[in-house]
Amino acid sequence: MYVYAEQGIFFGKKIPFATDIHGHTYLLSLENDSYGQVVFLQHEYEDDQEYDLVAISFTDFLNEFVSKEKTFLK
C-alpha cells in the first residue's frame, strides 16, 4: 500500500492484494456496505475510484479461479 500512497492513490477501507498483467488492482473491501467483497479497479480509473465487483467473497473469488483453471500454479 506504500507504493500506492507514494503515487497519491488511496483506497479507503479497501486492501489491495493483487494486480493483473495490465496493472489493474484487485482489492478486498472492508467498507460497511461491501464488506468482504472482491473488487477490481482499472488503473485508468484510479482517480475516479470506479470499482467493479468481481466476487461477493474472497472464497468465491478463489473458487472462480480454480473452477476456470486460472490458478497461479502450473
Side-chain angles (χ1 to χ4, degrees), residues 33-51:
D33 62 341
S34 59
Y35 188 86
Q37 294 180 354
V38 175
V39 295
F40 181 76
L41 179 65
Q42 294 184 36
H43 67 81
E44 296 91 358
Y45 301 110
E46 286 172 346
D47 292 338
D48 298 329
Q49 303 259 321
E50 294 181 22
Y51 300 97

Side-chain angles (χ1 to χ4, degrees), residues 35 47 49 53 60 67 71:
Y35 188 86
D47 292 338
Q49 303 259 321
L53 178 64
D60 286 350
S67 70
T71 60

